[in-house]
Amino acid sequence: MALKIVKGSIDRMFDKNLQDLVRGIRNHKEDEAKYISTCIDEIKQELKQDNIAVKANAVCKLTYLQMLGYDVSWAAFNIVEVMSSSKFTYKRIGYLAASQCFHEGTDVIMLTTNQIRKDLSSPNQYDTGVALTGLSCFVTPDLARDLANDIMTLMSHTKPYIRKKAVLIMYKVFLKYPESLRPAFPRLKEKLEDPDPGVQSAAVNVICELARRNPKNYLSLAPLFFKLMTSSTNNWVLIKIIKLFGALTPLEPRLGKKLIEPLTNLIHSTSAMSLLYECVNTVIAVLISLSSGMPNHSASIQLCVQKLRILIEDSDQNLKYLGLLAMSKILKTHPKSVQSHKDLILQCLDDKDESIRLRALDLLYGMVSKKNLMEIVKKLMLHVDKAEGTTYRDELLTKIIDICSQSNYQYITNFEWYISILVELTRLEGTRHGHLIASQMLDVAIRVKAIRAFAVAQMATLLDNAHLLTGNTQRNGICEVLYAAAWICGEFAEHLEDPMLTLEAMLRPKVATLPGHIQAVYVQNAAKLFATVLQKHEGETDSQAAQETSQLLIDRLPLFVQSANLEVQERASCILQLVKYIQKLQQKNVEVAEEVTALFAGELNPVAPKAQKKVPIPEGLDLDAWINEPPSESESEDEKPKAVFAKEEPKHSRSRHTEVDEKELARRREARKQEQANNPFYIKASPSSQKVYDAPGVEHIPVVQIDLSVPLKVPGMPMSDQYVKLEEERRQKEKADKKKKEKKKKREKRGKGRKGDSGPESEEDITPAHHVDIVTEEMPENALPSDDDDKDPNDPHKALDIDLDKPLADSEKLPVRTHRPEVLKSPAEDRDDNTIPQETKKKSSKDKKEKKKDKEKDRKRSKEDKKKKKKHKDVEEELPESLPEEVVQSEETKEVAVPPTSADVVTVSSSAAAATVDSSSAAAAESEPEELKDTEPDDTKSSKHKKKKQKKEKEEKEKKKKKRHHHHHHHHSDAGAEDSVQNGTVEDEEPLPPMSNYSLLAENSYIKMVCDIQGNHQDESKVVVSVIFENKSDSFLKSMEFNVLDSLNSKLQRPDGAGPHDGLTVPFQLPPGVSNEARFVFSVQSIVMPQKLKGTLTFIVKTDESSTHEKLDFKLHFTCTSYLITTPCYSDAYAKLLESGDLKGSSLRLEGVNMPFHHLLARICFHHHFSVVERIDSCASMYSRSIQGHHVCLLVKSSDQTVSIDAKCDEPSLLGNVLDEIKQTFSKC
Amino acid sequence: MIKAILIFNNHGKPRLSKFYEHYTEDTEQQIIRETFHLVSKRDENVCNFLEGGLLIGGSDNKLIYRHYATLYFVFCVDSSESELGILDLIQVFVETLDKCFENVCELDLIFHMDKVHNILAEMVMGGMVLETNMSEIITQAEAQSKMEKSEICAFLSLCRPLSFSVPDRTGRRRPGLLELQHAPYRPSRT
């Protein structure tokens, strides 16, 4: 009946699989969103079905929808369900969906830990593979911590397929759980020499990723990599290694010397371009690191450049691109060798491919010299004209400015040329870089005194013409230039030929359409011009003209007083009042010019952005001391100066502030010296005032930092585009102007030695004779503290970097114990010993540091070192053994419990069971004897392992437990029934059991069987028994036949046609030491009672000489628990279920349960297939469902070692049995 | 590290997206759109590298792509990957798809996104190159398909198989991806 319903629903639901969905979407192009939303509704229905196949199908469709941008996180729970299907098909669908949409914030991820662990240890390599792949995408710190050990075990798996995945995923684990790096590293290193090339490649991959972030920690691996490089033939591996060397050489020049030869050989021999390219790259890195002499140094450079030229000349654009990229690296240290290929690079500027042009531009930046600057810029200007698309043109523009302004205008010999270039650039339509041009204009005009006259003339023209052209565009980036122009004209007005004309130009009504900050500068500088004009007129005693000027301002300024921009308004009204006042004075024939000029008196000097920081704190000044004792509410007071700082630092146009300062200072300097130190407005004055302390004579010298690679910025300006271009006419006129002025200047002003500069061609000016020395100009001002480490504060390291740093720093300095609880001293030391000897050879300097830091530890270590030498093997055995303990330590604090024992066993198995073992349980079993050997001596004669002493205190407890544990084992093995740790001990001994449900089924000297019984998700009457067979003998086991005596209630599913008593053939044979898993399906009628089935395994033991029939009897125990299926349940559904009243209650009390609550829950979840619905403090509700749909609800409360469980279920006898089983589980603790 | 692998067609429709770092669905779509924008306006005969995958993690990153018939295969990688190596990897990927789907074309990718994911998972894991040997990739992928098939036949003969029904291939006459591919460019093969 129920089956029918399921079938019916399958028919209905399977109407739409992924293909149908895709097809549907394609057929609904018009109303795709609507169609998809109905599909999502269907999917929601499907997800409510019990049938896992339906769910998997739904999840598969969701994965597709996720790609289309639909959020499917709501189905996370269902994805987990599908992931936990026992069928590979569905499992894979589940993991794929999880890998696409799970992330650290997904809360259901924490439910997956055990499932993933189970999959990782699955005997089916593809289950493991799929789990690893999925995990690599959504691993969280918690998962990483909980699973690190399992994954580490997999690194020694027999199958290379698993090994390589496990190795690769370790990188992700390291990132999320940095503490695992050190424990796992020895094994990772081991994998560098794995026989399987895939595994090797994976290990190289991981180490390269790690080393890239922290190269110095991996220097010790250099010899190993060197060996690999000379022996490997796998280009992928070679490329990685060679790239890694590129990162290592800067740290170890000696390595570089060794590398040159093999790399050169590779360059000559390889036919693979990718390898060749990486070799060249690394050789370049080596040469850079060796910057000083090496015999065949230049030969290698020559070789590289040659090869790169071949790449660049190749018709393949990719090679061309990479060639240019590598070339730019050489450029930094060996510019000469690159410069000889200038032709080739200029040629690339014409390439149709933008990426290549950009690369070529980068190169040009480094190739510039005084000689060729103008030529190169001229070429670039041509490209600017030709360029299509603003992006590339803007890129050109910034490059031109970068090239010219680099290292303090080092290569510019003629600043008039540069100014005209800048002016020419203003003609660019729609550029975003108006502010860049503006800041260059300001910078040059301020720094290069000799150029001011020329600059002012150019700017005046610009202002004059700009006015004609601004009208129709509101947003134009280029108008930023006017900001600079206005300021330059105002500030250096004494150089203006006709200040009145410029003044008029600046007060035109059209100016009001400019952005506010520019208007503000206009207004302020109009005032400056006004002062200049006044002075001029008064000098000529032309009071009429002077008054006309005042009138002009009074007429025009009201326009700005009405401005919406506050600053414009404020400045305008202030100046308006001033002018009105002046006008009054003028009418009384008072001479005012001098006083007005005094408003703007004072020399301006550039101030480096970091100047303030550079000011030394004078002796005796404590900046943290209160100047006035703080009032009770000091904050408000405190806040104010801070706000001022904040406002100030983002650099307003410096000029304005400085100017005001100058003036005020002139009046009140003496009185205010103390305050100045704290007032940030005194950018310029404060250094000088402080300077007074040591050199009273140089009061006025401001601080200037010469580092100008960062050009003066004018920030906070809104960006706009589109500026009406200057017409052709204007261009000619401008040129003519320029010519005239240049000639004039040449004639009038100092001859200045511009020998070859023929005025008419200022742009094409090639002769570098014009010498404007900015350095000497600013040097004296730089007298104050020099720069030290400006770049440090702004290095944005990725979170990833930091993560990795931690453990590695540890490995260097050995303060390991901090993140590992005290208990773990010895393991840590162990490892250090292992890694350090190599390092000491390599970098003794570092070791010295270490030694200083932990002398004590060193002593211990040296003792141990001796021991080490004696018994090398011991170390290796201890090592893996000790690692897991750490993992356990950290796990102890967390929800999922893995006891030291299991961990021990699992890792030891890496060496012991490297042989074959497929599943960890089998591994565990195998390594058992070894563990006994290993630990027993510890108990009896602990002196053997000195380290044990050190951690004795902490370990005492543990040891006791261990002892018990071992006895237990001993006992068992005596009895010939050596328990697998997972089962035997799991449930009865250790406080933190390994979470495995595999229990021993039977065992004899040939074979061991462990099994796990699980309900079948798809079928309400089926139970799947997974049995792991392990061959313990030295012989070959074959023809295994598994048979069970059926009961009325439970029957083994046999193939059609087989008799009810026929055995099932196990579908594999077992070579010695190998284990494998087989699954058997049983049909069950009633599930309310536990039951036992007797069975027999028959098999043939085949040795070289003979073969014998053997058999092994066993008893299969179907607990009620095994009929339960972990089924997640939402709390609202859970509440409804309880309210429904269909459930009958029962309860259970457990006394003396001595374990953390979350361990308790974890146990119930794991061993009894429950899931936690909700947990509040020490109270949790849990849910599970039987394969026949019985709901089982638990309410678990814990207080003082007493646990009470209230349970409800619609089948009382099932509930009773489940509770009994739970009780049994905990009674064994 | 590989940060993301995107496949979309000439119109920017995503055919596969694999991000090795977490982004919200919206961001993912935005990245796909922007990447398409960057890539699609490039000529056929320009280089296959693009800088400034601004959305994915900054200046260290590059977009490396190839255009096959109707599809773009884009890998976003950081500087630890060899550019030419990745180009090679894309080629391996496409050839693998070609083998697995027998003359692969866009339709195969459209209808079998899951299968493409599974094949990709055998090549790249968590952003790192796992396997570059085509025959190994195909062996593993096919072994898993086989397993899937056997499971489905054994347990679910009731239902239509999940992902192995061959979609109607009426549109199948389109040229396969590799048919239109410019001369294979595989510098790292020896």
Side-chain angles (χ1 to χ4, degrees):
Chain A
M1 177 61 193
L3 197 64
K4 252 183 197 169
I5 294 167
V6 173
K7 272 183 198 166
S9 70
I10 289 175
D11 287 342
R12 188 163 52 82
M13 283 318 184
F14 266 70
D15 277 344
K16 216 173 261 167
N17 62 15
L18 174 62
Q19 280 78 40
D20 300 321
L21 174 77
V22 175
R23 205 170 289 128
I25 293 173
R26 285 160 70 82
N27 291 336
H28 289 76
K29 290 222 167 82
E30 304 299 304
D31 51 348
E32 190 182 297
K34 196 177 148 202
Y35 178 75
I36 289 178
S37 80
T38 59
C39 288
I40 289 179
D41 288 341
E42 281 169 20
I43 289 170
K44 281 184 179 159
Q45 287 306 312
E46 288 168 25
L47 288 175
K48 282 182 193 152
Q49 299 279 316
D50 292 334
N51 190 313
I52 193 73
V54 178
K55 271 188 187 153
N57 183 47
V59 165
C60 185
K61 289 191 279 182
L62 282 178
T63 312
Y64 183 82
L65 293 178
Q66 196 271 345
M67 180 184 75
L68 298 185
Y70 290 84
D71 175 23
V72 299
S73 54
W74 51 269
F77 223 71
N78 305 100
I79 292 173
V80 174
E81 281 181 290
V82 176
M83 277 164 73
S84 54
S85 160
S86 58
K87 285 210 188 55
F88 173 73
T89 314
Y90 306 140
K91 190 185 288 299
R92 182 154 78 161
I93 291 171
Y95 272 105
L96 174 61
S99 75
Q100 291 294 89
C101 67
F102 281 12
H103 54 92
E104 276 190 29
T106 308
D107 44 4
V108 292
I109 274 197
M110 57 184 226
L111 297 179
T112 60
T113 316
N114 283 325
Q115 179 59 41
I116 295 173
R117 178 171 291 140
K118 197 176 154 205
D119 290 334
L120 289 182
S121 59
S122 161
N124 181 339
Q125 63 167 335
Y126 293 117
D127 282 351
T128 314
V130 154
L132 284 172
T133 306
L135 193 60
S136 74
C137 290
F138 58 76
V139 62
T140 62
D142 283 350
L143 282 177
R145 189 195 54 237
D146 295 341
L147 297 171
N149 196 38
D150 303 62
I151 297 171
M152 215 163 86
T153 315
L154 291 178
M155 282 166 76
S156 308
H157 200 273
T158 48
K159 299 223 170 68
Y161 178 76
I162 299 299
R163 281 210 303 275
K164 71 181 176 191
K165 287 197 170 196
V167 168
L168 219 48
I169 202 181
M170 278 318 281
Y171 177 64
K172 296 278 176 164
V173 173
F174 295 152
L175 286 187
K176 300 289 179 187
Y177 179 55
E179 287 88 337
S180 60
L181 179 58
R182 290 166 48 74
F185 197 71
R187 193 169 295 182
L188 183 61
K189 211 167 99 185
E190 208 177 283
K191 294 296 142 196
L192 284 174
E193 297 181 287
D194 196 280
D196 184 86
V199 181
Q200 197 185 44
S201 164
V204 169
N205 231 327
V206 170
I207 291 186
C208 286
E209 282 297 335
L210 291 170
R212 200 164 69 96
R213 308 285 179 187
N214 298 283
K216 61 179 184 303
N217 301 317
Y218 298 87
L219 271 175
S220 60
L221 292 180
L224 189 54
F225 276 116
F226 195 83
K227 202 177 104 196
L228 278 177
M229 182 178 80
T230 44
S231 61
S232 175
T233 53
N234 180 342
N235 279 346
W236 289 92
V237 170
L238 281 176
I239 287 175
K240 280 281 171 194
I241 293 177
I242 288 168
K243 264 183 164 292
L244 174 66
F245 276 134
L248 292 183
T249 42
L251 300 165
E252 181 52 277
R254 280 174 299 168
L255 176 63
K257 280 179 194 161
K258 278 201 155 186
L259 282 172
I260 290 277
E261 201 201 323
L263 286 179
T264 324
N265 290 345
L266 268 175
I267 291 177
H268 282 303
S269 65
T270 185
S271 61
M273 275 303 193
S274 48
L275 185 58
L276 173 106
Y277 173 68
E278 296 304 339
C279 285
V280 169
N281 254 333
T282 299
V283 170
I284 293 169
V286 169
L287 292 176
I288 291 172
S289 72
L290 290 177
S291 46
S292 61
M294 227 193 86
N296 49 359
H297 189 177
S298 60
S300 312
I301 276 285
Q302 235 23 61
L303 177 68
C304 289
V305 175
Q306 241 172 44
K307 287 284 175 187
L308 290 179
R309 184 169 178 118
I310 294 174
L311 291 186
I312 296 174
E313 282 172 335
D314 199 292
S315 63
D316 187 321
Q317 298 284 328
N318 292 327
L319 298 183
K320 195 183 286 254
Y321 174 88
L322 293 176
L324 290 169
L325 198 64
M327 202 67 118
S328 63
K329 287 180 195 154
I330 300 186
L331 188 69
K332 280 172 204 146
T333 47
H334 303 84
K336 287 241 169 70
S337 12
V338 181
Q339 266 161 12
S340 55
H341 299 278
K342 198 179 75 193
D343 55 318
L344 186 64
I345 287 148
L346 282 175
Q347 211 176 303
C348 290
L349 275 185
D350 295 319
D351 201 283
K352 57 191 173 304
D353 186 349
E354 190 177 304
S355 331
I356 287 178
R357 291 197 305 254
L358 291 178
R359 282 278 142 242
L361 273 180
D362 277 352
L363 268 175
L364 280 180
Y365 177 84
M367 290 171 58
V368 166
S369 69
K370 281 190 180 176
K371 244 185 199 166
N372 63 16
L373 173 73
M374 291 195 185
E375 182 198 342
I376 288 180
V377 171
K378 188 180 158 195
K379 188 121 203 223
L380 291 178
M381 291 297 282
L382 285 179
H383 280 280
V384 172
D385 287 339
K386 279 193 294 185
E388 288 164 17
T390 49
T391 340
Y392 178 58
R393 212 181 43 189
D394 281 354
E395 186 65 30
L396 273 171
L397 189 154
T398 46
K399 265 289 149 11
I400 290 174
I401 288 178
D402 280 354
I403 287 175
C404 292
S405 63
Q406 66 177 308
S407 32
N408 223 354
Y409 307 102
Q410 187 188 345
Y411 302 114
I412 295 185
T413 50
N414 184 339
F415 278 89
E416 290 185 12
W417 164 82
Y418 186 45
I419 294 278
S420 18
I421 289 287
L422 289 175
V423 171
E424 248 180 78
L425 286 175
T426 62
R427 283 185 288 111
L428 279 189
E429 209 178 324
T431 180
R432 294 185 295 114
H433 292 303
H435 64 282
L436 193 59
I437 303 174
S439 69
Q440 282 291 296
M441 287 172 167
L442 286 170
D443 203 40
V444 172
I446 294 170
R447 287 174 193 283
V448 188
K449 272 186 183 158
I451 202 66
R452 283 178 190 166
F454 179 77
V456 165
Q458 291 288 305
M459 295 304 125
T461 334
L462 208 56
L463 281 178
D464 199 28
N465 291 289
H467 165 74
L468 294 169
L469 303 166
T470 30
N472 49 356
T473 38
Q474 268 296 316
R475 312 173 302 122
N476 39 29
I478 206 66
C479 69
E480 296 295 338
V481 171
L482 297 176
Y483 175 99
W487 189 84
I488 291 171
C489 285
E491 184 63 27
F492 307 118
E494 71 269 19
H495 297 291
L496 272 176
E497 279 191 349
D498 187 355
M500 190 57 201
L501 193 73
T502 311
L503 179 61
E504 230 235 300
M506 282 168 63
L507 291 171
R508 285 173 194 156
K510 286 250 169 169
V511 172
T513 60
L514 290 173
H517 64 282
I518 299 181
Q519 287 184 53
V521 172
Y522 264 70
V523 170
Q524 180 75 10
N525 286 285
K528 292 183 198 166
L529 281 176
F530 173 62
T532 317
V533 172
L534 275 188
Q535 205 169 28
K536 203 174 161 194
H537 289 319
E538 277 182 16
E540 294 162 9
T541 58
D542 186 352
S543 62
Q544 183 63 29
Q547 288 194 26
E548 272 170 24
T549 316
S550 306
Q551 193 54 46
L552 176 75
L553 259 77
I554 290 167
D555 290 346
R556 299 280 175 86
L557 279 175
L559 177 67
F560 298 101
V561 175
Q562 293 160 14
S563 167
N565 184 294
L566 276 183
E567 193 173 349
V568 179
Q569 199 186 81
E570 190 178 9
R571 284 172 190 270
S573 53
C574 185
I575 291 168
L576 183 59
Q577 289 312 311
L578 183 71
V579 175
K580 280 181 181 163
Y581 178 65
I582 290 169
Q583 197 183 31
K584 271 184 209 161
L585 292 177
Q586 279 175 333
Q587 280 157 1
K588 291 176 195 159
N589 275 330
V590 182
E591 296 226 329
V592 287
E594 205 169 309
E595 273 156 59
V596 178
T597 317
L599 281 175
F600 308 106
E603 177 71 358
L604 263 173
N605 286 291
V607 181
K610 287 160 194 155
Q612 178 116 18
K613 224 166 51 184
K614 299 278 173 192
V615 176
I617 298 174
E619 247 179 88
L621 175 63
D622 181 2
L623 288 177
D624 294 330
W626 288 101
I627 294 170
N628 300 309
E629 274 310 302
S632 55
E633 283 174 356
S634 59
E635 279 188 351
S636 59
E637 281 235 338
D638 206 15
E639 212 99 6
K640 270 176 202 164
K642 260 182 204 160
V644 174
F645 256 107
K647 235 190 274 166
E648 173 60 12
E649 267 165 6
K651 300 164 249 162
H652 294 245
S653 116
R654 240 158 244 136
S655 52
R656 298 199 289 263
H657 295 295
T658 333
E659 222 154 28
V660 176
D661 289 354
E662 283 289 307
K663 204 167 139 43
E664 279 185 82
L665 273 175
R667 274 189 273 131
R668 296 191 270 170
R669 179 167 290 130
E670 288 306 346
R672 298 184 54 189
K673 251 179 200 165
Q674 279 304 307
E675 285 170 43
Q676 283 166 7
N678 286 322
N679 190 335
F681 264 97
Y682 295 91
I683 277 200
K684 183 165 150 244
S686 48
S688 56
S689 70
Q690 280 164 3
K691 192 108 202 264
V692 173
Y693 292 93
D694 12 280
V698 260
E699 255 191 333
H700 288 275
I701 299 175
V703 191
V704 168
Q705 189 207 12
I706 265 294
D707 174 22
L708 290 173
S709 55
V710 183
L712 220 154
K713 272 183 209 154
V714 186
M717 298 187 173
M719 229 158 262
S720 23
D721 26 70
Q722 289 300 327
Y723 178 66
V724 180
K725 57 193 154 186
L726 306 172
E727 314 95 310
E728 207 56 30
E729 232 179 83
R730 132 126 185 82
R731 188 177 163 188
Q732 281 167 0
K733 187 184 154 201
E734 186 184 282
K735 270 187 183 167
D737 273 2
K738 204 189 299 164
K739 282 175 208 166
K740 265 184 233 158
K741 272 166 202 164
E742 266 164 24
K743 276 177 191 164
K744 224 183 269 171
K745 232 171 291 151
K746 237 171 97 191
R747 269 182 256 119
E748 288 170 3
K749 297 185 179 174
R750 54 255 135 110
K752 219 169 133 207
R754 253 191 299 155
K755 289 152 213 160
D757 178 12
S758 54
E761 323 167 311
S762 72
E763 284 166 291
E764 292 85 25
D765 215 353
I766 292 161
T767 330
H770 181 186
H771 189 252
V772 184
D773 195 353
I774 39 170
V775 179
T776 46
E777 196 140 313
E778 289 178 5
M779 263 324 239
E781 294 162 356
N782 205 21
L784 277 180
S786 59
D787 38 359
D788 25 335
D789 52 341
D790 296 299
K791 279 160 195 169
D792 279 357
N794 46 344
D795 42 311
H797 276 301
K798 287 183 178 175
L800 198 141
D801 255 344
I802 299 158
D803 275 356
L804 262 175
D805 272 343
K806 271 186 195 165
L808 296 176
D810 289 344
S811 81
E812 258 162 60
K813 291 173 190 165
L814 287 177
V816 200
R817 282 94 218 177
T818 45
H819 59 268
R820 242 162 272 163
E822 319 67 44
V823 199
L824 301 159
K825 269 183 188 165
S826 67
E829 263 170 17
D830 254 4
R831 212 164 359 278
D832 293 340
D833 289 337
N834 235 17
T835 48
I836 271 164
Q838 285 165 332
E839 275 179 48
T840 40
K841 281 175 213 158
K842 277 277 154 197
K843 23 169 194 171
S844 52
S845 66
K846 246 166 217 164
D847 250 34
K848 272 175 206 161
K849 272 187 214 161
E850 284 171 20
K851 275 172 191 164
K852 269 182 209 165
K853 285 207 171 178
D854 4 24
K855 272 182 186 166
E856 307 169 10
K857 284 162 197 164
D858 231 23
R859 252 178 276 134
K860 285 183 205 164
R861 210 196 304 145
S862 63
K863 279 183 200 167
E864 277 185 26
D865 261 340
K866 284 175 208 159
K867 232 197 306 160
K868 283 276 141 59
K869 279 167 203 161
K870 279 182 203 160
K871 20 178 198 166
H872 244 290
K873 277 178 193 168
D874 260 19
V875 178
E876 270 175 32
E877 277 177 13
E878 282 163 20
L879 206 83
E881 182 206 0
S882 50
L883 309 185
E885 285 178 346
E886 302 162 15
V887 179
V888 172
Q889 279 303 326
S890 49
E891 273 183 318
E892 264 178 294
T893 60
K894 291 290 171 176
E895 291 173 11
V896 181
V898 173
T901 41
S902 88
D904 271 356
V905 173
V906 173
T907 25
V908 171
S909 73
S910 67
S911 52
T916 42
V917 198
D918 256 1
S919 79
S920 69
S921 72
E926 167 133 16
S927 54
E928 193 85 333
E930 185 164 333
E931 194 206 291
L932 286 175
K933 273 183 245 154
D934 202 33
T935 38
E936 203 115 328
D938 278 0
D939 290 341
T940 48
K941 28 174 182 173
S942 57
S943 62
K944 189 178 169 190
H945 296 280
K946 208 167 185 177
K947 53 162 189 149
K948 295 270 176 185
K949 268 186 188 168
Q950 289 159 4
K951 57 169 181 179
K952 215 172 185 174
E953 290 180 358
K954 303 272 174 175
E955 278 227 317
E956 232 161 30
K957 264 191 186 175
E958 229 177 89
K959 267 191 185 173
K960 274 180 200 160
K961 283 172 201 157
K962 258 192 188 171
K963 236 184 233 173
R964 249 194 293 144
H965 174 79
H966 294 308
H967 285 317
H968 171 86
H969 276 284
H970 226 249
H971 189 67
H972 273 271
S973 52
D974 281 349
E978 187 183 297
D979 249 340
S980 113
V981 185
Q982 269 85 346
N983 58 67
T985 47
V986 165
E987 272 145 56
D988 37 30
E989 275 240 350
E990 292 291 337
L992 301 167
M995 300 298 244
S996 168
N997 277 330
Y998 281 91
S999 58
L1000 184 75
L1001 194 57
E1003 181 174 35
N1004 63 14
S1005 54
Y1006 297 107
I1007 195 164
K1008 178 173 152 185
M1009 298 161 69
V1010 289
C1011 76
D1012 177 30
I1013 305 171
Q1014 297 256 334
N1016 186 331
H1017 293 245
Q1018 280 94 51
D1019 199 321
E1020 59 186 45
S1021 61
K1022 296 271 192 335
V1023 172
V1024 179
V1025 179
S1026 313
V1027 185
I1028 296 177
F1029 300 90
E1030 189 202 339
N1031 185 347
K1032 293 170 60 192
S1033 68
D1034 300 330
S1035 327
F1036 207 87
L1037 302 186
K1038 50 186 260 185
S1039 306
M1040 288 185 280
E1041 221 175 74
F1042 181 91
N1043 202 358
V1044 172
L1045 269 179
D1046 292 347
S1047 70
L1048 277 178
N1049 192 33
S1050 314
K1051 294 187 170 61
L1052 177 62
Q1053 291 283 94
R1054 297 178 168 87
D1056 294 339
H1061 303 295
D1062 291 351
L1064 281 182
T1065 311
V1066 179
F1068 47 76
Q1069 303 179 334
L1070 287 178
V1074 171
S1075 63
N1076 207 339
E1077 186 178 32
R1079 294 188 178 177
F1080 303 96
V1081 181
F1082 286 80
S1083 62
V1084 192
Q1085 279 182 343
S1086 160
I1087 60 161
V1088 298
M1089 298 289 284
Q1091 43 191 312
K1092 287 183 180 170
L1093 292 183
K1094 279 186 184 171
T1096 316
L1097 181 78
T1098 57
F1099 52 95
I1100 296 175
V1101 182
K1102 193 169 175 344
T1103 58
D1104 289 343
E1105 307 89 46
S1106 63
S1107 58
T1108 50
H1109 267 279
E1110 294 287 342
K1111 73 168 195 168
L1112 177 61
D1113 291 329
F1114 56 84
K1115 234 183 219 176
L1116 261 179
H1117 185 59
F1118 290 99
T1119 57
C1120 283
T1121 291
S1122 50
Y1123 301 128
L1124 297 183
I1125 300 175
T1126 311
T1127 316
C1129 181
Y1130 291 112
S1131 50
D1132 47 351
Y1134 188 78
K1136 257 183 213 157
L1137 191 65
L1138 289 181
E1139 281 165 15
S1140 70
D1142 301 337
L1143 308 184
K1144 285 148 198 97
S1146 174
S1147 66
L1148 172 69
R1149 250 179 111 74
L1150 302 169
E1151 302 284 351
V1153 177
N1154 191 12
M1155 66 170 74
F1157 189 59
H1158 58 268
H1159 290 168
L1160 180 102
L1161 293 185
R1163 268 169 176 280
I1164 298 178
C1165 285
F1166 192 79
H1167 293 299
H1168 299 283
H1169 309 162
F1170 277 85
S1171 61
V1172 178
V1173 178
E1174 209 170 358
R1175 180 186 159 186
I1176 300 158
D1177 298 331
S1178 58
C1179 180
S1181 49
M1182 310 180 82
Y1183 176 80
S1184 184
R1185 213 169 48 120
S1186 76
I1187 52 174
Q1188 295 181 358
H1190 304 291
H1191 303 285
V1192 188
C1193 306
L1194 300 184
L1195 181 67
V1196 186
K1197 287 182 222 162
S1198 165
S1199 60
D1200 298 339
Q1201 305 205 352
T1202 305
V1203 177
S1204 67
I1205 301 179
D1206 292 311
K1208 283 195 169 176
C1209 177
D1210 37 14
E1211 177 53 66
S1213 53
L1214 175 70
L1215 181 64
N1217 288 319
V1218 168
L1219 286 182
D1220 282 349
E1221 284 160 18
I1222 292 179
K1223 191 173 179 181
Q1224 217 174 351
T1225 304
F1226 287 100
S1227 67
K1228 287 179 196 165
C1229 299
Chain B
M1 286 277 284
I2 299 170
K3 301 294 167 87
I5 295 174
L6 307 173
I7 305 178
F8 42 74
N9 71 0
N10 289 344
H11 307 288
K13 280 246 174 357
R15 294 306 178 210
L16 177 123
S17 67
K18 181 85 217 172
F19 290 87
Y20 293 103
E21 278 162 18
H22 173 69
Y23 298 96
T24 63
E25 274 76 11
D26 287 344
T27 323
E28 287 186 3
Q29 292 304 307
Q30 204 184 338
I31 292 173
I32 294 173
R33 272 197 304 277
E34 283 189 16
T35 311
F36 169 70
H37 229 74
L38 285 173
V39 166
S40 63
K41 66 180 180 204
R42 291 176 66 85
D43 289 336
E44 275 306 307
N45 49 1
V46 301
C47 75
N48 297 111
F49 313 118
L50 257 174
E51 275 158 279
L54 285 180
L55 268 172
I56 308 183
S59 59
D60 197 30
N61 289 358
K62 269 201 188 83
L63 295 176
I64 300 177
Y65 73 96
R66 268 175 178 272
H67 190 195
Y68 292 87
T70 55
L71 292 178
Y72 286 97
F73 288 70
V74 186
F75 281 45
C76 179
V77 303
D78 68 15
S79 63
S80 73
E81 299 294 336
S82 149
E83 292 88 345
L84 296 175
I86 293 292
L87 278 178
D88 205 15
L89 188 70
I90 299 179
Q91 181 73 17
V92 171
F93 184 31
V94 176
E95 282 182 32
T96 309
L97 290 177
D98 196 56
K99 291 251 164 61
C100 292
F101 286 105
E102 294 165 34
N103 189 20
V104 68
C105 73
E106 192 186 339
L107 279 178
D108 295 307
L109 274 75
I110 295 174
F111 285 107
H112 299 288
M113 184 200 68
D114 50 344
K115 207 174 167 190
V116 181
H117 266 298
N118 294 335
I119 292 167
L120 183 62
E122 296 303 320
M123 293 181 67
V124 179
M125 188 174 125
M128 281 177 290
V129 178
L130 177 69
E131 183 60 69
T132 52
N133 180 339
M134 203 184 334
S135 63
E136 169 73 9
I137 298 166
I138 293 175
T139 312
Q140 300 296 354
E142 280 177 354
Q144 291 175 62
S145 306
K146 214 173 270 170
M147 224 169 100
E148 202 168 61
K149 263 179 201 161
S150 69
E151 277 184 357
I152 287 180
C153 295
F155 291 94
L156 265 178
S157 47
L158 294 171
C159 333
R160 281 157 60 187
L162 267 184
S163 56
F164 284 85
S165 66
V166 182
D168 67 20
R169 294 230 169 166
T170 44
R172 184 63 211 236
R173 285 310 111 217
R174 289 207 230 164
L177 289 180
L178 279 172
E179 281 173 31
L180 286 184
Q181 168 57 9
H182 34 84
Y185 164 81
R186 297 146 74 181
S188 76
R189 291 290 165 74
T190 43

